[in-house]
Amino acid sequence: MNRRLLSVLGAAALLVTACSGDEPGRDYSLPRQMCGIRTDTSDLRPLLPDGKSARYAQNQTTDYSYHLCRMIVDDEVALKLRILRDTGFSAEAEEAAYNDLKNYRPISMTGSVEVTSAGVADDGGKVWLPCRPLPGHPQEAVPDQPYTHLVLSIQLLSDVEGKDALARRHADIESFMRSYLPGLRKTWCVPEG
């Protein structure tokens, strides 16, 4: 009888485990900042895939010319966020976004931060914004070529399928960029005006 009771209890335990949420979701913790900029987790979470665990990693540079940070979900890089100073914006720079990102399309980013150009794609997004570096930050790439812009680049390494899922992803990328830009501008750029 003890064997039968143990078998029943074992089967019940397996059933509870199977139904208790062992399926990957997005319940992992997220950082409050990415690349030194305060990040709204409600805007970050939709960009990441389901998984059991997540961790944050970033490069060690502190010179404010380039930052790279990553979100790693279940030991796979899921998101790369890059901040790069640039000496200007050109049609060639935007054309490169069409080549770098899948189904890239320009979007309008009117709002509290002036934007030169922006776009979203199936696997990320890019924003160019005018930015004179703060005192103490690198001021020029080489002599006589001052930095005038920042480029925010987001790359998502997980796939989504279906027209509705892609439309949601585009909207989520845009939402993240909009929430991230004010903090980015404040941390990297001389105030406008």
Side-chain angles (χ1 to χ4, degrees):
M1 181 127 157
N2 284 339
R3 281 188 175 166
R4 184 181 288 175
L5 180 58
L6 288 175
S7 295
V8 169
L9 289 174
L14 286 173
L15 182 61
V16 168
T17 301
C19 298
S20 67
D22 272 352
E23 291 296 313
R26 292 184 190 150
D27 293 335
Y28 42 73
S29 62
L30 296 174
R32 296 189 189 278
Q33 65 160 0
M34 291 205 53
C35 290
I37 309 299
R38 187 184 166 285
T39 303
D40 188 340
T41 58
S42 66
D43 288 322
L44 176 59
R45 190 170 305 278
L47 301 180
L48 300 172
D50 290 346
K52 292 184 178 183
S53 66
R55 63 187 166 88
Y56 171 76
Q58 74 175 27
N59 66 335
Q60 297 301 312
T61 182
T62 56
D63 72 355
Y64 289 95
S65 61
Y66 172 80
H67 280 332
L68 167 66
C69 51
R70 298 169 301 284
M71 282 301 305
I72 301 162
V73 176
D74 293 345
D75 296 322
E76 298 285 332
V77 176
L79 178 147
K80 291 181 183 178
L81 189 142
R82 292 181 187 95
I83 303 166
L84 173 68
R85 290 210 185 272
D86 203 349
T87 58
F89 171 77
S90 66
E92 292 83 15
E94 189 170 42
E95 186 175 317
Y98 284 93
N99 296 327
D100 294 343
L101 297 167
K102 185 177 179 183
N103 296 320
Y104 180 85
R105 65 176 177 82
I107 58 170
S108 173
M109 293 272 297
T110 58
S112 63
V113 175
E114 180 185 349
V115 169
T116 303
S117 183
V120 296
D122 297 352
D123 57 350
K126 282 197 177 190
V127 180
W128 289 264
L129 60 146
C131 174
R132 288 184 307 126
L134 288 169
H137 290 197
Q139 300 294 310
E140 54 191 17
V142 295
D144 299 323
Q145 288 189 351
Y147 288 124
T148 61
H149 284 75
L150 274 183
V151 181
L152 170 64
S153 176
I154 300 168
Q155 182 182 8
L156 303 177
L157 290 113
S158 62
D159 291 327
V160 296
E161 294 187 21
K163 189 176 180 180
D164 292 342
L166 285 172
R168 263 191 318 277
R169 177 174 264 192
H170 292 178
D172 292 339
I173 293 166
E174 182 176 345
S175 179
F176 177 84
M177 292 189 307
R178 285 181 185 280
S179 71
Y180 194 81
L181 285 178
L184 176 62
R185 179 162 230 323
K186 182 178 180 182
T187 304
W188 284 61
C189 308
V190 170
E192 295 174 299

